[in-house]
Amino acid sequence: MTAPSLPWIGTGLTDTGRSRATNQDTFAIDNELGLWVVADGMGGHAGGNIASELAVASIMNHVRSSAQPWPSVSDQLQHATTVLTHAITAGKTAIQERIAVSPELSSMGTTVVLAWLCPLPTPSVAIAHVGDSRAYVIRDKRLVAVTTDHSLVQQLVTEGHMTLEDSLDHPKRNVLVRALGLNFPATPDIALHPLHPHDILLLCTDGLMKMMSDEAILSVILDSKDSPEKACQRLIARANEAGGKDNTTVLLITPRTP
Ligand code: CA
């Protein structure tokens, strides 16, 4: 017997861009479990690629092995927080174990952002993240970020030491304060967001935000509403037309059409 279709479906695409030699981003989609993950690896040569792949595989495996009927409404956030915290810890452990046998990879690490659909009794999505990959909700023709970057510049903005405008082209804008790796705290932020029937979710790496404004991202998604595949292709194309300075990954989670 096949599982009933979930009301949302994920579609993703990743691209090396026009500046980097390799793509160190990784994404994964499980449309039966309602689990979607994006990770942005860092740390020289092949390391970032290994870190993001290890993290994504560990997280997918952990959540799959923990899958069980969802508990009552009041327990949903607790359940999601427990499972996702352990999943992200499993990702960090996998990276640390790899570094233990390959010390030349000691600087590797990765961000992670994920969405896990909590289908009953009304749809919600648990969003967890570590680092500066983001989740957005598109609702009523507006694009709203539902994650706050774990980056040095975001910390300075939050504390009032820097304006948002100055943070956008700051030389240290890539410096993370949390990540999955050896020398970072990997504590995720986890929150449950109720979904409206027409909501679209976007998970993405910073390669997209570096190249496109929120307005431009929103207009591509709204213009390509009938085809998430086309929307992903157009977002990557626009990021590359604007310079493609980093790897870009986009994962759109859209209402399933009957
Ligand atoms: Ca990146």
Side-chain angles (χ1 to χ4, degrees):
M1 197 178 97
T2 53
S5 297
L6 292 174
W8 273 266
I9 186 165
T11 307
L13 196 59
T14 187
D15 192 80
T16 304
R18 294 195 171 161
S19 180
R20 303 281 171 94
T22 58
N23 189 348
Q24 304 196 329
D25 290 355
T26 301
F27 73 92
I29 288 174
D30 186 330
N31 285 324
E32 285 188 11
L33 192 57
L35 178 66
W36 304 281
V37 188
V38 166
D40 179 349
M42 60 189 180
H45 305 300
N49 178 27
I50 295 169
S52 64
E53 285 175 10
L54 282 172
V56 169
S58 302
I59 289 167
M60 297 302 281
N61 288 340
H62 183 89
V63 179
R64 279 179 187 137
S65 68
S66 311
Q68 51 168 302
W70 276 88
S72 66
V73 190
S74 59
D75 295 336
Q76 288 207 339
L77 178 60
Q78 179 64 47
H79 177 63
T81 301
T82 303
V83 172
L84 296 179
T85 301
H86 287 148
I88 286 170
T89 302
K92 176 174 171 143
T93 302
I95 291 168
Q96 289 179 328
E97 286 175 354
R98 182 61 193 272
I99 291 171
V101 295
S102 310
E104 72 279 9
L105 298 173
S106 65
S107 64
M108 75 175 178
T110 187
T111 71
V112 67
V113 61
L114 67 85
W116 188 22
L117 195 66
C118 317
L120 297 169
T122 54
S124 299
V125 67
I127 304 277
H129 84 291
V130 178
D132 66 354
S133 299
R134 289 187 187 166
Y136 292 90
V137 174
I138 295 104
R139 177 183 297 166
D140 299 333
K141 299 186 178 175
R142 294 179 60 199
L143 178 83
V144 178
V146 292
T147 51
T148 302
D149 295 349
H150 299 139
S151 65
L152 180 65
V153 291
Q154 178 59 52
Q155 197 167 295
L156 293 170
V157 170
T158 303
E159 290 169 357
H161 301 303
M162 188 187 287
T163 64
L164 186 61
E165 204 180 8
D166 288 342
S167 74
L168 297 178
D169 55 2
H170 195 276
K172 290 193 172 175
R173 60 174 289 184
N174 289 330
V175 176
L176 299 179
V177 294
R178 293 191 219 174
L180 278 63
L182 214 49
N183 298 313
F184 294 93
T187 315
D189 286 338
I190 302 172
L192 202 59
H193 301 271
L195 287 174
H196 294 188
H198 300 293
D199 284 354
I200 297 171
L201 293 164
L202 167 66
L203 308 182
C204 57
T205 57
D206 65 341
L208 184 69
M209 290 86 80
K210 281 176 190 166
M211 296 293 119
M212 288 179 76
S213 66
D214 284 5
E215 294 74 19
I217 293 169
L218 178 64
S219 101
V220 170
I221 293 171
L222 294 180
D223 287 350
S224 324
K225 240 182 160 179
D226 297 335
S227 171
E229 290 82 6
K230 274 205 182 99
C232 289
Q233 289 163 5
R234 285 175 182 158
L235 286 169
I236 299 269
R238 290 283 295 275
N240 283 338
E241 283 159 18
K245 289 184 181 161
D246 197 354
N247 309 144
T248 299
T249 301
V250 292
L251 203 168
L252 280 168
I253 300 156
T254 52
R256 196 185 281 271
T257 46

